[in-house]
Amino acid sequence: MDIENVICDSRTNREIIMNTTKTNKRTWAEPYKIKVVELLKMTTREEREQAIREAGYNTFLTRSKDVYIDLLTDSGTAAMSDRQWAGMMLGDEAYAGSENFYHLEAVVREYYGYEYLVPTHQGRGAENLMSRILIKSGDHIPGNMYFTTTRLHQELAGGTFVDVIVDEAHDPENTFPFKGNVDIGKLDKLVQRVGADKVPYISLEGNVNMAGGQPFSMENLKALHVYCREHDIPIMLDATRTIENAWFIHEREDGYAEKSVRQILREICDLTDGCTMSAKKDALVNIGGFFACNDEAVYRQAQNLVVVYEGLHTYGGLAGRDMEAMAQGIREAVMEEHQAARIGQVQYLGEKLIAAGIPIVMPIGSHAIFIDAKRFLPHVDQDDYPAQALAAELYVESGIRTMERGNVSAGRDPVTGNNRRPPLELVRLTIPRRVYTQAHMDVVVDSVCDVHQRRDSIGGLKMVYEPDYLRFFQARFEPIA
Ligand code: PLI
């Protein structure tokens, strides 16, 4: 490794981060203190080798008890606050008309601004409802990059997803600060090709997960809003990490430094027509989601359909206590000090990895560091699943559990049946909210560096079991001899 180059690269990258982030002078120290802890267990290398072999080299199939630092996902893994736990005791577990539903409805109206709310057990429950209501067979659904469950529900409803994110999003080295933006030219091309009546809505994700946790700008959303109003196309937000997107707008976009995260969130939602939400991320709960919108006719359909798939419209598959914790979580998530610490911790980890010469997606995103497996393991062909192999290797190295976000996650093209071979072949080191400390991040850096040093010895994998849907969750692999 050329030390001069590493130092030089890391300086350039740090300058980019400093130019795009105004938080650097503020502390990101945790705005809370720890009241309850969960003990961690360190396993031996031999135990981990056996565990990953038994899990078919898929970190989703490993057992949590065998994991030291769990960076698999930020979904449902947050530490709840004392106020959220206190809210759990206020659970009104009536089958119908739970008080917690009305509380959640009021909070969603206040913070997100949507008139109508239908709770669901988690994000994909809301995606199922929305896709069934809005998509007809033969429709096209444009979006700022796919998300696995979102696209699957669109396809199950007879639609075809069309990627209309800006080109920069597909380039892990591009440092454009708003890689979540929609390319309105690409959207217009689709509308011209198939006709606006075949585009039931555009799916707009905040802090685009598969692009590396990258935000859209308010400027882009305003332009999209104008375009969509002209063509009578609703904008349906994937609000899962939109509070974190609001933080990036606050930090990076001219004219927004003085506006609060809460105000920016509301401004985003006011430019859209409804949302699906996995509350397991931004909203700091272990389970929960919702569908929300402003159109009464759509709401009535969602309210009717939710009783088929989730539960009565005032609980949607959740306990009353879960809705209460969600309402409180939303209040805590819009606090600037929460976001400064949350995203500051991710930045801390990312900057250390950059300084060590680890190729990661730039700019550093909101909820995770994404290692670029194509540059980390350039000798492994994409159909030998380099990101899957690297995630397995990181687990064996130190018990850190991460997730593949590349060729396995992208699945097969329904027309050709071939692997999609997406431009981004990534390993996601996802940081749960309010769970790990700076010292844990340092251990992660050391572990990644140790694997990087012996990267030439790491080979690819072959898939030996492939489920029909969302294969990354349950697929099994073996090392290529
Ligand atoms: O896992 P759910 O069903 O609560 O939510 C599905 C979902 C929808 N949209 C987005 C952007 C997500 O990130 C998402 C779930 N993400 C998971 C599980 C993750 O690990 O990123």
Side-chain angles (χ1 to χ4, degrees), residues 73-75 122-124 127 147 149-150 205 209 238 240-241 278 280-281 403 428:
T73 179
D74 64 330
S75 182
Q122 59 183 87
R124 69 200 73 180
E127 290 169 350
F147 183 70
T149 57
T150 321
E205 185 186 333
N209 192 354
D238 182 337
T240 299
R241 295 183 185 85
S278 169
K280 299 170 73 175
K281 285 79 165 176
M403 181 198 292
R428 190 180 75 173

Side-chain angles (χ1 to χ4, degrees), residues 63-359:
R63 291 178 67 152
S64 158
K65 73 171 180 53
D66 297 327
V67 172
Y68 175 43
I69 299 177
D70 200 351
L71 306 186
L72 184 72
T73 179
D74 64 330
S75 182
T77 53
M80 292 209 297
S81 68
D82 51 358
R83 280 169 178 72
Q84 286 178 290
W85 280 107
M88 299 286 269
M89 289 306 293
L90 302 177
D92 171 2
E93 308 306 343
Y95 189 92
S98 162
E99 266 310 290
N100 312 118
F101 166 75
Y102 295 106
H103 182 201
L104 177 63
E105 185 185 50
V107 167
V108 170
R109 259 189 208 137
E110 184 183 342
Y111 286 82
Y112 290 84
Y114 302 119
E115 185 59 24
Y116 303 112
L117 172 78
V118 177
T120 59
H121 77 285
Q122 59 183 87
R124 69 200 73 180
E127 290 169 350
N128 178 38
L129 301 183
M130 186 172 81
S131 302
R132 284 173 178 272
I133 294 164
L134 298 181
I135 300 172
K136 293 186 303 302
S137 182
D139 279 350
H140 293 75
I141 304 92
N144 55 344
M145 202 171 269
Y146 83 100
F147 183 70
T148 54
T149 57
T150 321
R151 181 175 63 192
L152 179 61
H153 280 296
Q154 292 164 356
E155 289 173 354
L156 290 172
T160 304
F161 171 79
V162 182
D163 190 358
V164 295
I165 203 166
V166 292
D167 285 341
E168 287 91 334
H170 293 285
D171 175 1
E173 294 177 73
N174 192 306
T175 56
F176 182 53
F178 293 107
K179 286 166 96 173
N181 279 356
V182 170
D183 182 332
I184 295 173
K186 285 187 193 171
L187 174 61
D188 189 51
K189 229 182 202 167
L190 172 72
V191 171
Q192 297 307 325
R193 179 165 65 82
V194 303
D197 59 326
K198 289 273 181 247
V199 180
Y201 62 91
I202 174 162
S203 177
L204 179 73
E205 185 186 333
N207 265 12
V208 181
N209 192 354
M210 301 302 278
Q214 305 293 334
F216 57 72
S217 69
M218 193 67 84
E219 187 187 14
N220 183 250
L221 175 55
K222 284 180 182 166
L224 181 68
H225 179 77
V226 169
Y227 180 90
C228 288
R229 283 290 173 270
E230 271 169 18
H231 293 81
D232 201 18
I233 298 171
I235 303 175
M236 302 307 285
L237 183 68
D238 182 337
T240 299
R241 295 183 185 85
T242 299
I243 301 178
E244 291 178 355
N245 195 125
W247 169 260
F248 279 127
I249 289 174
H250 170 73
E251 289 293 301
R252 296 178 179 176
E253 193 162 351
D254 288 344
Y256 285 90
E258 302 308 320
K259 288 197 181 173
S260 67
V261 168
R262 184 176 165 178
Q263 287 171 317
I264 298 169
L265 173 68
R266 190 57 196 269
E267 195 173 326
I268 291 171
C269 295
D270 286 352
L271 289 166
T272 67
D273 297 280
C275 79
T276 54
M277 170 73 174
S278 169
K280 299 170 73 175
K281 285 79 165 176
D282 265 358
L284 298 164
V285 285
N286 305 125
I287 193 71
F290 57 80
F291 170 71
C293 67
N294 293 324
D295 182 320
E296 192 180 347
V298 170
Y299 163 62
R300 292 282 167 225
Q301 290 180 70
Q303 202 186 32
N304 191 205
L305 214 51
V306 77
V307 301
V308 181
Y309 293 104
E310 305 277 323
L312 193 70
H313 57 278
T314 53
Y315 75 85
L318 294 170
R321 54 180 171 269
D322 298 325
M323 293 188 281
E324 194 59 32
M326 198 194 306
Q328 175 61 21
I330 291 168
R331 288 210 182 90
E332 294 175 16
V334 297
M335 292 177 178
E336 268 81 27
E337 60 269 35
H338 165 69
Q339 291 300 341
R342 192 287 181 275
I343 293 177
Q345 188 179 42
V346 178
Q347 300 264 331
Y348 174 84
L349 173 62
E351 285 194 53
K352 286 213 149 189
L353 290 170
I354 292 165
I358 307 299

